[in-house]
Amino acid sequence: MSAVLETHNHDHHGPAKGLMRWVFTTNHKDIGTLYLWFSFTMFLVGGCMAMVIRAELFQPGLQIVRPEFFNQMTTMHGLIMVFGAVMPAFVGLANWLVPMMIGAPDMALPRLNNLSFWILPFAFLLLLSTLFMEGGAPNFGWTFYAPLSTTYAPKTVTFFIFGVHIMGASSIMGAINIIATILNLRAPGMTLMKMPLFVWTWLITAYLLIAVMPVLAGVVTMMLMDIHFGTSFFSAAGGGDPVLFQHVFWFFGHPEVYIMILPAFGVVSQIIPTFSRKRLFGYTSMVYATASIAFLSFIVWAHHMFTVGMPLAGELFFMYATMLIAVPTGVKVFNWVTTMFRGSLSFETPMLFAVSFVVLFTIGGFSGLMLAIAPADFQYHDTYFVVAHFHYVLVPGAIFGIMGAVYYWLPKWCGNMYNETLGKVHFWLSFIGMNLAFFPMHFVGLAGMPRRIPDYALQFADFNRISSVGAFMFGATQLLFLYIVINTIRSGKPATAQVWEGTDGLEWTIPSPAPYHTFTTPPEVK
Amino acid sequence: MPLRTMPWFRLVVGAMLLSSSSAWAEWTVNMTPGVTAISREIYSLHMIIFWICVVIGVVVFGVMFWSVFAHRKSKGAKPAQFHESTTVELIWTTIPFVILIAMAIPATKTLVKIYDSKESVIDVKITASQWKWRYDYLNDGFGYFSNLRTAQDEIYNKAPKGDHYLLEVDEPLVLPVNTKVRFLITASDVIHSWWVPALAVKKDAIPGFVNESWTIIDEPGIYRGQCAELCGKDHGFMPIVVIAKEQAEYDAWVASRKTAAAQENELKGKELSKDELMERGGKTYATFCAACHNLEGTGTPPVFPALKGSAIALGDKNAHINLVLNGKAGTAMAAFGAQLSEVDLAAVITYERNAWGNDTGDVIQPAEIAKLKAAQ
């Protein structure tokens, strides 16, 4: 970021010059910036793929792409958004914010930090290069169920497997770093129960990552063995079991969805109190609720598999356990609402994103509760109702959380205020576009439209057209976001150290923009 | 109460559909109650949990929007100081918990019923493969494939789309009403999922494993569904059609099917003329081969090779037969030896060796296939 570049008050402490600054950097702010730009790039790439999908689905019949390419688009869109856009964005936020929030000079393991970022572009080069290879990109869905992803996969699946290995290694290193930083580098007096909720949610997320990324690495390695070394983990013909794949995958996959939402919970828990000018209601219960959600995420995986033919006892266990998640999640929503209740509210862009996060994430939670009811899931499973559900928790959940965070902390990072009017325009266009795109998916799903199909029966045509229009609107709006961010960095009005009226926390005690090195002597926390 | 019957709702959604030309009756916004006791129970579970969510949503968002409008700084609101209350936290942990238990009871009851597949009258084995279904009537000893009937021209917008676009098949599954039918569901390649919304049956078809499900259909009629699990290129093009008939009609249908099966069996031992083989081969090709190799034999390179002028279709006859019977490992080419009858195999290979200018003049007889199969 150019604003950081201009900070040259201590010549031997300041950043190096030129491109090599970014390659060799061990500074948490630089690495945070790299992560955030990388994730935004991936967001646009994955977004373009979503546009291809929605263009094909604009009307019945095949117009733009062939079914095999459509499947590559749905697969790559999912993989890139999950592993390339959302996860690196949260690691970027953690890099920027965790040290500043706990009064640490940097991350605990700065060189590891550099490595965990710089292997990521290679992972995605491997993955994206498959688009230009014979046989095409992975086409078996982001959940890559065997044997479609093993015996029946295009040859490029091996590139996908190594890509996933590298992403996993990056995430594990990032998680170790975050845990080491939070547990070891807190300023004197910053006890665990005084940490900002963003730090808490990331601490718990980091443990989830360490627990499940090796499981993902394991499952793709088993695929690799099946494909190239003659094993039969997932092939019934050789004594294996295709359903085993799903159990192992979802043992990773369910905690993974909380990895993508818990840091957003943390962001919203910082933003809402600021713009309500009132302390967060029920801090302690928020911490316990987050921990409960993380624990429950390990014992609900098979609710993604209600139709694979599990025994009755299994169905009942996973149904009850899944329904239980509604309790701690409800506690969080009630706490946010009560924080706003009788506050003194104002609605700058970060608050708009945070409030719509609470409303729309809750709607996604409601459809999640419906999906938890196993008998009803027999009708919802693998339909657009599920697509609507997870886009409601991921787009206004994870993505709005990240965008809210960028508007909230960008003045601290680059020292300039963003343009409030443009920020609000960006929010409202995103909000309307996103709802137009994803709300009608509930209807077509309930009416019987399966997911991952390139063409559909005529009764689904109207709602699909609305969805496509909404998606184009949402997609185009994100270019405005890019413009706003660049404009802010280059020419925004200078921000104060406090930035917002109601802020509370160590990151607001340092000047804006945050100097290249902060808290070289730890602050005293009372 | 179904959401779609509410006038305000139609108004809102209707307003969203500005550019739309379709009639009201064509689209729905809710799950079908279906035509079985189980599907109606599932529908009512769906509506109960939906209304619970609506009520919770109205309360929570109500409080929130009250704050949004009443507690604005611009209206001079001063922030209150409260930030903790164990009592309140306990209350809003307990109430959702109680609601969930109340919801879990009927859901459990329905699930137990769904899992009771005992005492079926008719057993149908459903075998999924890329990208078609096979139905075997185990008690009556016959079976057949069911394929998408929609023309490629409709899909590629060269012909107007029919009423049941993508939801029509050549050979539907026929079942009697008021009879417990058990489905034994499996697959021969990748995972598929057999789903008919009106019956509320959705069960994964998993290669190497057999899943069980069942239904008792209340009303005669035509019920349509689709494969629900991503199964490759033509996942969106493997529909399911179930025709439910009165018992007498169903019995007549079974009898005619049995006769046809017997005639087919007789054909196996016969010598067929080239024209007969070509005619039958063309039909078999369109159903089983054209999805990948194309109706004109041009394939979709590089994944699906062309047959027109190919080394295999013009080369050694036995190598060609062997490839069709056993498939090719590591590619999408499936083994058709067990899937097709000797007559169909002989016909389709004859067709491939003589159509589109592949004029080898070879005629393959069913007996030849039977001999090769036996030798393997």
Side-chain angles (χ1 to χ4, degrees):
Chain A
M1 258 176 229
S2 59
V4 182
L5 265 170
E6 283 148 20
T7 319
H8 44 64
N9 38 353
H10 312 283
D11 42 1
H12 58 288
H13 285 307
K17 299 277 180 270
L19 186 68
M20 284 301 131
R21 166 191 176 182
W22 300 102
V23 177
F24 294 125
T25 184
T26 52
N27 180 289
H28 74 102
K29 300 184 182 78
D30 280 357
I31 294 175
T33 305
L34 285 172
Y35 264 112
L36 288 170
W37 278 115
F38 176 78
S39 112
F40 188 71
T41 312
M42 286 298 127
F43 179 59
L44 293 185
V45 172
C48 289
M49 292 170 176
M51 296 302 105
V52 173
I53 294 170
R54 283 318 319 174
E56 179 54 60
L57 293 174
F58 185 74
Q59 61 188 70
L62 294 175
Q63 293 87 18
I64 297 166
V65 294
R66 291 193 151 258
E68 50 271 39
F69 188 70
F70 183 89
N71 288 346
Q72 295 173 29
M73 287 293 103
T74 52
T75 306
M76 296 290 273
H77 165 72
L79 290 169
I80 286 176
M81 288 304 196
V82 169
F83 295 104
V86 174
M87 289 172 69
F90 282 129
V91 182
L93 291 176
N95 257 292
W96 257 105
L97 297 170
V98 166
M100 297 202 310
M101 284 177 160
I102 61 173
D106 203 311
M107 297 294 279
L109 309 160
R111 287 184 184 156
L112 189 76
N113 204 10
N114 175 292
L115 181 64
S116 53
F117 172 76
W118 273 113
I119 60 176
L120 261 193
F122 295 95
F124 284 90
L125 275 179
L126 274 183
L127 186 61
L128 285 167
S129 66
T130 58
L131 277 166
F132 307 100
M133 290 179 194
E134 190 181 322
N139 56 9
F140 29 67
W142 86 274
T143 51
F144 51 101
Y145 280 8
L148 189 63
S149 63
T150 53
T151 322
Y152 294 83
K155 288 209 167 60
T156 56
V157 63
T158 311
F159 285 81
F160 154 80
I161 290 173
F162 285 128
V164 169
H165 271 139
I166 299 174
M167 292 167 207
S170 162
S171 291
I172 293 169
M173 289 190 281
I176 290 173
N177 209 346
I178 287 166
I179 293 175
T181 308
I182 296 174
L183 294 187
N184 294 313
L185 297 188
R186 275 172 290 128
M190 175 64 82
T191 59
L192 285 175
M193 291 312 273
K194 274 190 193 165
M195 294 194 310
L197 259 173
F198 179 75
V199 180
W200 254 117
T201 52
W202 240 116
L203 180 64
I204 292 168
T205 303
Y207 276 109
L208 286 182
L209 276 169
I210 288 185
V212 301
M213 291 314 278
V215 178
L216 176 68
V219 77
V220 293
T221 307
M222 287 155 95
M223 282 169 62
L224 189 75
M225 303 292 276
D226 271 12
I227 294 167
H228 294 292
F229 303 109
T231 57
S232 296
F233 290 112
F234 307 130
S235 158
D241 181 352
V243 179
L244 171 69
F245 173 90
Q246 298 183 27
H247 282 291
V248 184
F249 177 82
W250 285 114
F251 187 82
F252 145 80
H254 202 78
E256 167 69 17
V257 305
Y258 291 97
I259 288 166
M260 291 191 283
I261 200 65
L262 293 185
F265 285 173
V267 168
V268 169
S269 305
Q270 306 295 134
I271 294 176
I272 289 183
T274 296
F275 297 96
S276 302
R277 292 162 185 83
K278 184 161 161 273
R279 264 177 76 179
L280 181 72
F281 187 82
Y283 172 91
T284 320
S285 70
M286 287 297 235
V287 173
Y288 291 138
T290 312
S292 317
I293 293 172
F295 168 73
L296 286 172
S297 76
F298 284 107
I299 56 165
V300 297
W301 76 87
H303 68 215
H304 298 271
M305 308 160 51
F306 277 147
T307 63
V308 297
M310 271 187 294
L312 179 61
E315 300 265 325
L316 289 175
F317 171 80
F318 286 107
M319 174 169 83
Y320 299 150
T322 305
M323 291 169 81
L324 267 186
I325 294 187
V327 175
T329 314
V331 167
K332 298 201 75 112
V333 172
F334 300 145
N335 279 329
W336 288 321
V337 171
T338 313
T339 304
M340 290 168 67
F341 186 69
R342 292 184 53 207
S344 173
L345 305 179
S346 61
F347 296 92
E348 288 84 348
T349 311
M351 183 62 162
L352 289 175
F353 276 106
V355 171
S356 67
F357 170 99
V358 176
V359 175
L360 300 175
F361 175 81
T362 304
I363 290 175
F366 285 148
S367 56
L369 183 57
M370 295 170 79
L371 284 157
I373 310 295
D377 181 73
F378 294 157
Q379 292 283 47
Y380 308 136
H381 181 81
D382 266 336
T383 68
Y384 260 85
F385 190 78
V386 176
V387 179
H389 159 71
F390 67 72
H391 280 99
Y392 259 84
V393 289
L394 281 175
V395 178
I399 305 278
F400 276 21
I402 293 163
M403 286 174 176
V406 169
Y407 282 109
Y408 186 57
W409 281 293
L410 187 60
K412 174 57 64 189
W413 298 338
C414 72
N416 296 332
M417 276 313 271
Y418 61 89
N419 182 320
E420 190 63 59
T421 314
L422 283 181
K424 282 183 176 156
V425 170
H426 171 227
F427 166 77
W428 283 109
L429 289 177
S430 296
F431 179 85
I432 295 166
M434 175 262 139
N435 280 293
L436 271 183
F438 300 119
F439 208 79
M441 290 183 184
H442 291 111
F443 302 144
V444 287
L446 291 175
M449 178 167 162
R451 63 191 282 206
R452 293 168 167 168
I453 57 175
D455 193 7
Y456 47 81
L458 301 178
Q459 68 264 36
F460 308 129
D462 294 340
F463 285 128
N464 269 290
R465 193 180 308 170
I466 297 173
S467 276
S468 290
V469 169
F472 299 147
M473 184 172 162
F474 183 82
T477 304
Q478 304 324 313
L479 298 175
L480 175 63
F481 181 49
L482 177 65
Y483 170 78
I484 294 171
V485 171
I486 291 176
N487 196 39
T488 308
I489 295 169
R490 289 196 161 170
S491 60
K493 282 192 213 114
T496 60
Q498 173 90 14
V499 182
W500 308 106
E501 185 188 4
T503 50
D504 181 28
L506 287 177
E507 78 267 34
W508 309 108
T509 62
I510 52 181
S512 301
Y516 199 55
H517 296 289
T518 41
F519 297 126
T520 38
T521 38
E524 195 71 40
V525 180
K526 274 167 251 126
Chain B
M1 172 163 47
L3 198 58
R4 64 174 180 278
T5 57
M6 293 177 197
W8 62 268
F9 188 81
R10 303 210 109 181
L11 207 68
V12 171
V13 178
M16 289 162 66
L17 287 171
L18 286 176
S19 65
S20 156
S21 53
S22 301
W24 286 115
E26 276 183 22
W27 50 268
T28 65
V29 294
N30 202 357
M31 187 188 284
T32 168
V35 290
T36 72
I38 293 291
S39 73
R40 282 187 292 270
E41 269 189 39
I42 288 178
Y43 175 79
S44 78
L45 281 176
H46 159 71
M47 291 317 289
I48 294 170
I49 189 76
F50 171 74
W51 284 115
I52 289 176
C53 291
V54 169
V55 170
I56 298 173
V58 166
V59 173
V60 174
F61 299 150
V63 174
M64 184 176 198
F65 285 113
W66 169 257
S67 311
V68 166
F69 290 110
H71 305 145
R72 278 175 185 255
K73 192 192 174 209
S74 56
K75 287 189 179 168
K78 292 274 172 289
Q81 291 306 312
F82 65 86
H83 60 85
E84 217 161 24
S85 164
T86 312
T87 325
V88 172
E89 300 284 354
L90 282 178
I91 291 171
W92 65 39
T93 308
T94 316
I95 292 177
F97 193 72
V98 173
I99 297 175
L100 289 178
I101 291 176
M103 193 58 221
I105 294 168
T108 305
K109 282 185 185 156
T110 305
L111 200 59
V112 170
K113 280 187 214 164
I114 293 174
Y115 265 71
D116 178 14
S117 59
K118 286 195 294 284
E119 290 162 11
S120 63
V121 182
I122 296 173
D123 292 337
V124 180
K125 182 180 161 208
I126 301 175
T127 313
S129 53
Q130 287 177 325
W131 291 275
K132 54 194 168 288
W133 301 96
R134 185 181 168 86
Y135 302 115
D136 282 293
Y137 289 73
L138 299 181
N139 324 65
D140 293 301
F142 68 88
Y144 52 87
F145 284 95
S146 177
N147 284 279
L148 175 72
R149 206 184 61 194
T150 305
Q152 293 287 309
D153 280 355
E154 289 182 44
I155 296 171
Y156 285 97
N157 312 302
K158 290 173 198 153
K161 297 177 184 6
D163 283 349
H164 300 296
Y165 176 69
L166 296 187
L167 296 180
E168 49 197 350
V169 297
D170 53 356
E171 295 272 14
L173 174 67
V174 179
L175 296 174
V177 293
N178 302 321
T179 307
K180 186 159 185 173
V181 181
R182 188 167 64 131
F183 302 118
L184 297 162
I185 304 170
T186 187
S188 60
D189 39 40
V190 300
I191 299 177
H192 304 259
S193 190
W194 197 83
W195 179 35
V196 179
L199 313 187
V201 173
K202 183 185 284 148
K203 205 73 164 183
D204 290 358
I206 299 168
F209 293 82
V210 178
N211 269 331
E212 248 187 6
S213 192
W214 62 272
T215 192
I216 301 174
I217 304 173
D218 290 346
E219 300 162 32
I222 301 175
Y223 307 111
R224 295 168 201 274
Q226 279 177 274
C227 178
E229 180 66 58
L230 178 64
C231 56
K233 177 171 78 78
D234 284 348
H235 162 56
F237 304 92
M238 53 183 291
I240 297 153
V241 178
V242 177
I243 298 188
K245 296 187 177 204
E246 297 289 358
Q247 188 66 43
E249 274 180 78
Y250 172 76
D251 291 339
W253 177 83
V254 169
S256 76
R257 273 286 169 177
K258 279 181 165 169
T259 327
Q263 281 168 353
E264 182 74 23
N265 217 23
E266 228 169 81
L267 219 52
K268 256 190 221 173
K270 276 193 186 161
E271 224 14 45
L272 298 172
S273 75
K274 189 178 168 195
D275 288 346
E276 280 176 300
L277 284 166
M278 284 298 280
E279 196 203 327
R280 193 179 174 119
K283 280 185 201 150
T284 313
Y285 182 84
T287 324
F288 291 92
C289 317
C292 299
H293 294 295
N294 226 329
L295 267 181
E296 287 76 39
T298 47
T300 0
V303 191
F304 307 113
L307 299 182
K308 185 177 173 179
S310 84
I312 288 170
L314 297 174
D316 178 40
K317 191 168 76 174
N318 285 338
H320 187 178
I321 298 175
N322 196 36
L323 184 69
V324 177
L325 288 187
N326 301 315
K328 189 170 175 189
T331 71
M333 180 64 194
F336 287 95
Q339 278 195 36
L340 297 177
S341 73
E342 280 83 357
V343 185
D344 279 327
L345 286 164
V348 80
I349 296 167
T350 306
Y351 180 78
E352 287 174 359
R353 299 182 72 79
N354 293 289
W356 329 294
N358 286 359
D359 297 318
T360 58
D362 291 340
V363 174
I364 289 106
Q365 291 297 342
E368 215 172 319
I369 303 278
K371 217 168 78 187
L372 271 170
K373 263 193 184 176
Q376 281 173 1

